[in-house]
Amino acid sequence: MNGVLTTAGKKIEPWGDSIFTDDSARALSRVGVVDVGSNSIRLVVFEGAARSPAYFYNEKVMAGLGQDMAATGKLNPQGVERGFSALKRFAALAEGMGVKPLTCVATAAVRDAEDGPAFQKRVEEELGLKLWVIDGQEEARLSAQGVLLGWPDASGLVCDIGGNSMELAVLKDGKVGKRATSQLGPFRLQQVKGGKDGLRAHIKAVMEELAAQVGTDHDRIYLVGGSWRAIARLDIERTQYPMTVLHEYRMGPAAVQDTVKWIEENDIEHLRKLVGIGTARMELVPLAAQVLRQLVLTFKPKELAVSSYGIREGLLYEHMSKTLRKRDPLIEAARFTERQMARTPGFGKKLYKFLEPLFAGVTPERDRLIRAACLLHDTTWRAHPDYRAEACFDNVTRANMAALSHPERIFLGLALLHRYKNSREDSPMTPLFALLNERETKDAEILGKAMRFGAMFSVKDPNSAGTLTLRPKALELKLTRVGQALFGEVARSRFESLCKSMEVEAVVV
């Protein structure tokens, strides 16, 4: 049922009625989620496209609620005060932003601590915030749903690590399957006896128990959680990968082992300064790295992919109907952006239709990128002309968009760069182009130059000005009466530039 979570066998309703009341709605009203974890407490306010919510506001406090809890059985006293202060601020921020509803979900630290109920009661009585405490199974399910929000076709194993726990969930055919929870959080591991050998033996034993519960036949593992993202950021630094966006960053098993070894061999403070990770987060990285090493050894995945989406996004996904879930997050985000930022909303669809003959027979994966590019082609028009191409590229490659791999981000960004700029020579973005092969780079250039021509050929509708027909060795533009007036010197120059990139003859009739 949408909007219903379970904990300790009971149903709870953190949002009551669904926040998505209309399947045809494209926009999401402003909603907020507070995630009270063992290490961090985070407020996220979502807004934007209904199927691809954007972060309107995002703030995190490293409260450390669960620090030393494995030894004391109670929440960390300093963490409690920092956490309460953070929640007080978040409640005031939400009120100031008009956020309704504001949902607060707590995980391992609050649910396992002796004084967890007292903290929960204090938050409700003094701040008026209902703190929903969920069990490990539910935490695993929501994290997996968060991955589905970002990856509609996700298939594999979701691994969510927090300060005091680690959850696993199987994803297949758009559904969450078997789930398991453990105490493999770094705060817990700080209390394991026996030195390095004892720690490794403990992690291995627990990991084997988890494998028995969820199986090991998973080609891909989706990594959710701040510690995993920190390790991925270190992997990016070690390999000098040209892109710093963490969502959908991929690592092979060998790379993971090399990075874990690199972390062991280097001073943690030095590594922290290299990548700008906070001290509180970095302190947990060495232990999390040991867990990641064993995760790879036990489950033997072919690939690990970082997800910036987790419990918070999973709560939104909980409220989505099947109809809404089936929409493409990339196209929905592009449509929303066009409506908000383009000079002529709705023109992108017309541009796509006009250019469609150039791309007959492309794969569905390429077609969605072409559609998205056409929708986004005019969304940076307010930037200075000298920087418009790079701004367009930068916006897309770093945008909060789901269902978009790193190479796809670069393809889309490069196409939009060429929408505004004929040449990419000497571009400051050149290192990123290496994520595409020669054919992909050429295809992005062709798409960009096609949009560069089509977008200025007619400011109302290029389909009313002419039609394109791609022949084996020529691209034919058949002009209408309207088109004959519009096909001036600049339009001809851009059409010929497109044909040159396609290596075909320009024919105008």
Side-chain angles (χ1 to χ4, degrees):
M1 181 185 294
N2 283 350
V4 177
L5 307 181
T6 60
T7 182
K10 299 179 181 179
K11 289 185 176 181
I12 59 176
E13 299 183 3
W15 269 327
D17 295 334
S18 176
I19 59 174
F20 298 101
T21 56
D22 183 0
D23 282 349
S24 65
R26 298 289 178 178
L28 171 70
S29 297
R30 197 174 297 172
V31 295
V33 179
V34 175
D35 181 0
V36 181
S38 298
N39 195 22
S40 66
I41 299 179
R42 185 187 293 268
L43 165 68
V44 176
V45 177
F46 295 98
E47 200 175 75
R51 183 56 186 85
S52 187
Y55 300 125
F56 177 82
Y57 189 85
N58 190 342
E59 184 176 326
K60 172 185 66 178
V61 173
M62 303 299 288
L65 274 175
Q67 189 171 5
D68 300 326
M69 193 186 75
T72 67
K74 296 182 179 181
L75 296 173
N76 180 277
Q78 291 76 28
V80 167
E81 295 310 314
R82 290 192 71 192
F84 186 83
S85 177
L87 290 171
K88 185 176 182 179
R89 169 174 163 78
F90 291 166
L93 286 173
E95 183 178 356
M97 287 184 277
V99 172
K100 292 182 179 180
L102 177 65
T103 300
C104 303
V105 175
T107 51
V110 179
R111 73 170 173 252
D112 293 340
E114 292 177 19
D115 53 350
F119 179 75
Q120 184 181 10
K121 182 179 180 181
R122 180 187 174 191
V123 168
E124 184 168 3
E125 289 181 348
E126 296 186 32
L127 302 180
L129 296 177
K130 179 66 177 179
L131 197 58
W132 301 103
V133 183
I134 59 175
D135 60 31
Q137 290 282 318
E138 187 63 8
E139 187 175 353
R141 187 180 73 87
L142 287 174
S143 291
Q145 286 194 162
V147 171
L148 284 174
L149 186 142
W151 274 288
D153 300 322
S155 179
L157 185 69
V158 176
C159 180
D160 182 358
I161 193 168
N164 272 292
S165 70
M166 188 185 84
E167 281 70 39
L168 299 177
V170 177
L171 282 180
K172 188 175 181 181
D173 299 326
K175 297 179 180 179
V176 183
K178 294 179 179 178
R179 290 165 277 161
T181 184
S182 72
Q183 294 188 342
L184 285 181
F187 282 149
R188 292 278 186 182
L189 296 178
Q190 288 173 344
Q191 306 303 319
V192 174
K193 308 298 182 182
K196 291 183 178 179
D197 291 340
L199 178 65
R200 289 191 179 187
H202 173 75
I203 293 172
K204 182 179 180 181
V206 176
M207 201 70 75
E208 288 175 351
E209 292 175 5
L210 292 171
Q213 295 179 60
V214 299
T216 57
D217 185 23
H218 311 289
D219 288 344
R220 179 182 293 162
I221 295 179
Y222 298 89
L223 300 175
V224 177
S227 292
W228 293 154
R229 291 193 295 274
I231 293 172
R233 182 66 188 87
L234 290 165
D235 187 73
I236 287 173
E237 177 66 26
R238 181 186 67 82
T239 60
Q240 292 298 291
Y241 184 76
M243 194 171 185
T244 57
V245 173
L246 289 173
H247 186 61
E248 289 230 23
Y249 178 66
R250 312 291 177 93
M251 297 181 287
V256 168
Q257 301 295 6
D258 288 344
T259 295
V260 170
K261 184 178 180 182
W262 186 64
I263 292 170
E264 288 178 326
E265 294 174 346
N266 283 274
D267 177 71
I268 287 299
E269 180 60 18
H270 170 68
L271 295 179
R272 186 191 74 78
K273 290 179 179 178
L274 274 180
V275 295
I277 297 173
T279 301
R281 174 68 67 196
M282 197 66 191
E283 287 176 351
L284 303 185
V285 164
L287 287 170
Q290 295 303 314
V291 177
L292 186 58
R293 167 190 276 154
Q294 191 58 52
L295 182 74
V296 169
L297 292 174
T298 300
F299 288 92
K300 298 179 173 60
K302 294 180 180 177
E303 181 181 64
L304 297 95
V306 177
S307 173
S308 294
Y309 299 167
I311 288 178
R312 298 173 293 274
E313 291 76 15
L315 281 165
L316 288 182
Y317 193 83
E318 180 82 3
H319 283 254
M320 293 181 181
S321 66
K322 290 182 178 179
T323 300
L324 185 54
R325 290 176 181 180
K326 286 180 179 179
R327 293 184 193 165
D328 186 330
L330 171 62
I331 301 301
E332 292 301 302
R335 282 175 176 162
F336 185 86
T337 302
E338 184 196 37
R339 286 196 299 271
Q340 296 290 314
M341 302 178 68
R343 282 175 286 196
T344 311
F347 184 86
K349 185 176 182 180
K350 297 173 183 177
L351 179 61
Y352 170 81
K353 187 68 177 176
F354 176 67
L355 300 179
E356 198 171 14
L358 303 184
F359 307 107
V362 299
T363 64
E365 292 77 16
R366 177 58 58 81
D367 182 67
R368 68 192 288 268
L369 295 180
I370 295 170
R371 287 176 179 269
C374 289
L375 291 166
L376 294 169
H377 85 279
D378 190 43
T379 54
T380 56
W381 66 273
R382 286 185 173 88
H384 189 282
D386 290 349
Y387 302 102
R388 203 169 284 164
E390 279 71 24
C392 210
F393 181 95
D394 204 46
N395 283 352
V396 170
T397 54
R398 301 178 190 278
N400 176 220
M401 289 184 176
L404 198 61
S405 70
H406 282 196
E408 287 174 333
R409 283 178 181 269
I410 302 304
F411 181 92
L412 190 53
L414 185 55
L416 290 166
L417 183 149
H418 277 294
R419 183 275 181 244
Y420 283 111
K421 197 173 184 180
N422 203 44
S423 172
R424 60 181 175 276
E425 191 173 333
D426 298 325
S427 170
M429 311 301 181
T430 297
L432 293 167
F433 302 160
L435 295 184
L436 302 180
N437 61 37
E438 188 176 347
R439 182 67 259 175
E440 291 167 336
T441 301
K442 192 66 176 179
D443 287 349
E445 177 187 320
I446 290 170
L447 173 57
K449 289 188 175 182
M451 293 189 295
R452 184 170 170 81
F453 163 64
M456 59 80 62
F457 180 37
S458 169
V459 297
K460 185 177 181 181
D461 183 358
N463 298 282
S464 66
T467 55
L468 293 169
T469 303
L470 181 60
R471 306 197 186 284
K473 295 183 179 181
L475 178 59
E476 179 184 287
L477 172 62
K478 186 175 182 180
L479 298 171
T480 65
R481 180 183 296 178
V482 173
Q484 289 173 359
L486 291 170
F487 196 66
E489 181 179 331
V490 177
R492 180 179 292 276
S493 175
R494 293 190 178 184
F495 179 65
E496 289 175 350
S497 177
L498 167 62
C499 292
K500 183 178 180 180
S501 290
M502 296 179 68
E503 299 179 359
V504 296
E505 181 185 358
V507 177
V508 181
V509 296

